[in-house]
Amino acid sequence: MPKPKFQTPKGMHDIFGENWKYFDKIFEVVKSFAKFYNFERIETPVLEEAELFTKGIGLATDIVQKEMFLLKTKGGDYLALRPEGTAPVVRAYIQHGMQNLPQPVKLWYFSQFFRYEHPQAGRFRQFWQFGFEILGKQAPALDTQIILIFYNILKELGFEALAIKINSIGDSFCRPYYKKTLISYLKHRSYALCPDCKRRLKENPLRILDCKEEKCRQIISEAPQILNHLCENCKNHLKTVLEFLDDLQLPYHLDPYLVRGLDYYTKTVFEISEETEKGKAVGALVGGGRYDNLAKILGGLEMPGVGGAGGVERIIELLKEKRIKIYKEKKPKIFLAQIGDLAKRKALKIVEEFRKENLPIYESIEKDSLKSQMKLADKLGVKYVLILGHQEALNEEILLRDMETGKQKKIRLKNLIKEVKKYL
Ligand code: AMP
C-alpha cells in the first residue's frame, strides 16, 4: 500500500483503540488519588506567554533553548505551547489570588504538553502528563507526600520494581556557593567535557552533573557534591524528608547527581523509575521537586511549592513492555438482531431501554439480513442473541437464543429487561 500523503506530525500520535483503555485506567487511578488527598483539578490554556517559561523554567535550560513550540500572534504576542505544567499552575495561583484561600492549595492536572524533542522511545513532541502541585507551604512532609502519591499511583498501576531517586539542590542561599566550587573544579577539566557540557559550563553548570556521556561521567564522579555544601536550612529539610520516607518504608536512593532539567527547583528534587527486566532503568516515569522561588521569579509573591508530573505515554509503553494488564475487557454479552421495518423500529426503542438500565448490548441496526447479523454476533463472541422478527414484533414478543446450546426462549417484550437480567 502506498504511504498515505498525510500523516501525524513527527513525534505526535493519534490515540485510538486499545490505548484509550490504558489512558482511561491511568486517569481513573490518578483521579481517585486526587480525590482522596483533596486536590482540585485545574486546566490551564494550551498556549501561554512564552516569557512565562523563559523566566520560570530558565533561559539556559534545554526545554527553553531547544524544545519550545513558539508562535507569534497577529497582534504581535509571543506565545508558547506549554512544555510543562508547573509554571502555568503557579501563574494561575497568582492570577486568581489563591494566596487568599486556606493554604496549602492543592491542584492536579491531566493534560497535554509539547516539546520540540528529538523523537525516540518515551519521548514525544506532544504528550500527556498528570501532575500534583501543593502550593503555599514549605513543610518537608509535603515533599514526602508528593513522592508518596506518585509512588503509590505507579504501584497501583501494577509496577513492582519502582525506584525513587532523591537529591537536594539547595536554595538561593547555598547553591551559588556550590555552583562556584563546581565551576572551579570543572574549569580545570573543561577540555575533556563533551561539547554540550562545555556550553553548560558557561550557562547551566549544574546540568553537567546528569550528563550521560562517559567522558563527562568520569569527571563528575570526582566532582564536589552538593550534599556536602547545603546550608543548615536545606540540610534539615532534606533530612526530615528522608526520615519521613524511611517511616513510610519507601525505597529511595540518595543521588547527588540528580539535578533535573528545570531551573526553578530548590531543595528537594526526585524521580521515580521502574527497573526493566534487563536491570536497566528506562527514562523516569515521574519527576518533580520543590520550587520555593518560582512565584517570585514570575513577578509575584513569596510562595513555596512542591509537585511533580508523570508521563502517561511512557507509563503505557512500560506497562505494555512488562505485559502488565491494567484494564479488564468488559464486552456486552447480548446482541440484538432485527428483521423487517416494524422490528427495526422496535429495536431502536429496545436499545434505549437497555441504555437506561445500564445494560450493555450490541446491535447492528443498519443491517437487514438475519444471517449477517448472526455472523456478526458470532464474531463478537456474545453469549445470547435477541431475535426480533416481524411476527414477534407483531406479537409483542422476542426470542432469546443461547449461542452455545442453540436453545431459544420466547419472552414477552414488556418483561424483556427483567428476564434478561436473570441471564447476566
Ligand atoms: P519533566 O516535566 O521533564 O519533569 O518530566 C516529567 C515526566 O514527564 C517524565 O518523567 C516523563 O515521564 C514525562 N515526559 C517528559 N518529557 C516527555 C516527552 N517528551 N515525551 C513523553 N513523556 C515525557
Side-chain angles (χ1 to χ4, degrees):
M1 208 172 77
K3 201 168 152 188
K5 177 165 159 43
F6 292 109
Q7 310 229 346
T8 46
K10 203 169 168 184
M12 301 185 175
H13 50 264
D14 298 315
I15 308 168
F16 63 98
E18 192 200 22
N19 272 340
W20 273 124
K21 299 203 170 133
Y22 284 93
F23 267 83
D24 286 348
K25 179 67 190 180
I26 296 170
F27 182 81
E28 196 188 291
V29 171
V30 169
K31 191 175 166 190
S32 73
F33 274 77
K35 198 167 167 214
F36 179 81
Y37 285 100
N38 299 302
F39 283 73
E40 296 263 356
R41 190 165 181 192
I42 184 164
E43 180 63 32
T44 59
V46 168
L47 287 164
E48 294 272 0
E49 268 184 62
E51 205 187 342
L52 176 71
F53 302 111
T54 49
K55 270 193 162 173
I57 301 173
L59 261 179
T61 57
D62 281 354
I63 293 183
V64 167
Q65 279 199 342
K66 303 186 213 155
E67 295 169 7
M68 281 222 288
F69 280 93
L70 291 164
L71 64 93
K72 192 176 166 191
T73 65
K74 284 183 185 152
D77 295 328
Y78 286 98
L79 301 181
L81 279 170
R82 56 183 177 195
E84 60 95 51
T86 305
V89 166
V90 172
R91 193 254 321 122
Y93 177 97
I94 300 168
Q95 182 176 340
H96 303 295
M98 292 190 205
Q99 66 271 28
N100 300 318
L101 300 172
Q103 304 295 303
V105 172
K106 296 167 150 192
L107 299 170
W108 75 285
Y109 56 80
F110 197 104
S111 314
Q112 304 197 50
F113 297 92
F114 305 83
R115 293 184 195 171
Y116 192 79
E117 303 224 42
H118 179 63
Q120 50 186 297
R123 286 210 175 274
F124 302 100
R125 291 187 173 174
Q126 178 175 0
F127 56 97
W128 293 73
Q129 283 185 340
F130 56 88
F132 289 84
E133 313 282 357
I134 306 182
L135 311 161
K137 287 281 178 200
Q138 247 236 4
L142 298 178
D143 306 32
T144 309
Q145 198 169 47
I146 283 287
I147 296 172
L148 175 75
I149 288 171
F150 281 108
Y151 180 84
N152 280 337
I153 285 175
L154 293 176
K155 214 148 181 220
E156 181 140 340
L157 289 173
F159 292 113
E160 286 175 342
L162 294 166
I164 302 166
K165 276 201 260 177
I166 186 166
N167 190 20
S168 172
I169 53 166
D171 60 9
S172 50
F173 187 69
C174 56
R175 192 164 27 179
Y177 292 105
Y178 171 68
K179 234 180 186 171
K180 265 192 198 158
T181 317
L182 182 67
I183 291 171
S184 96
Y185 167 84
L186 290 170
K187 252 189 182 159
H188 294 106
R189 294 152 182 90
S190 64
Y191 59 90
L193 292 171
C194 74
D196 258 353
C197 284
K198 279 195 178 116
R199 178 180 52 81
R200 287 179 186 137
L201 185 55
K202 288 194 199 97
E203 296 171 353
N204 197 357
L206 247 60
R207 277 311 301 275
I208 297 177
L209 293 177
D210 72 358
C211 179
K212 306 284 175 286
E213 293 282 331
E214 191 46 48
K215 55 184 181 178
C216 298
R217 292 251 46 94
Q218 248 179 355
I219 297 173
I220 293 157
S221 67
E222 286 165 22
Q225 293 193 357
I226 188 148
L227 291 172
N228 300 324
H229 292 78
L230 294 177
C231 60
E232 266 323 285
N233 183 9
C234 288
K235 214 186 281 174
N236 288 335
H237 189 95
L238 177 65
K239 192 168 155 266
T240 317
V241 173
L242 297 184
E243 279 168 9
F244 289 147
L245 288 173
D246 284 331
D247 288 345
L248 293 164
Q249 296 185 325
L250 293 186
Y252 69 84
H253 159 69
L254 195 56
D255 179 349
Y257 305 115
L258 181 69
V259 284
R260 314 248 330 110
L262 308 107
D263 267 6
Y264 53 58
Y265 286 122
T266 45
K267 298 196 173 92
T268 313
V269 287
F270 73 93
E271 280 183 0
I272 309 179
S273 340
E274 167 85 352
E275 299 291 323
T276 61
E277 273 134 35
K278 296 150 218 151
K280 226 176 80 191
V282 293
L285 299 178
V286 166
R290 177 160 281 287
Y291 44 85
D292 294 343
N293 293 335
L294 182 55
K296 207 150 105 204
I297 297 169
L298 298 182
L301 54 163
E302 289 287 342
M303 194 281 301
V306 61
V312 178
E313 282 85 351
R314 227 181 253 193
I315 290 173
I316 294 175
E317 250 176 53
L318 208 54
L319 286 170
K320 285 184 180 169
E321 191 187 310
K322 296 200 135 196
R323 297 178 204 281
I324 301 173
K325 201 114 178 109
I326 61 169
Y327 61 88
K328 277 198 199 101
E329 289 280 11
K330 264 201 219 138
K331 285 188 176 166
K333 285 189 188 154
I334 297 190
F335 184 97
L336 172 62
Q338 34 69 40
I339 318 134
D341 277 351
L342 181 63
K344 207 185 272 289
R345 244 175 289 159
K346 290 210 171 192
L348 280 166
K349 275 197 199 155
I350 292 172
V351 173
E352 270 309 281
E353 281 172 35
F354 272 69
R355 183 186 61 75
K356 283 184 196 148
E357 290 291 320
N358 204 12
L359 291 173
I361 188 164
Y362 285 123
E363 42 74 22
S364 186
I365 206 76
E366 78 288 354
K367 286 195 168 64
D368 294 321
S369 111
L370 179 63
K371 199 172 155 201
S372 69
Q373 291 179 75
M374 293 308 279
K375 220 165 133 185
L376 178 60
D378 197 41
K379 226 175 173 178
L380 290 167
V382 293
K383 213 161 166 351
Y384 305 101
V385 178
L386 287 167
I387 303 167
L388 189 64
H390 185 69
Q391 197 54 49
E392 284 84 17
L394 282 175
N395 295 348
E396 291 289 321
E397 287 170 346
I398 196 162
L399 294 173
L400 177 78
R401 180 184 172 92
D402 184 320
M403 291 296 272
E404 257 168 50
T405 61
K407 277 191 186 153
Q408 297 196 160
K409 184 184 165 181
K410 232 179 232 172
I411 297 173
R412 300 288 306 157
L413 267 184
K414 66 174 186 342
N415 299 332
L416 179 60
I417 297 288
K418 202 169 78 194
E419 285 295 313
V420 157
K421 277 185 179 169
K422 289 183 194 163
Y423 289 85
L424 298 176

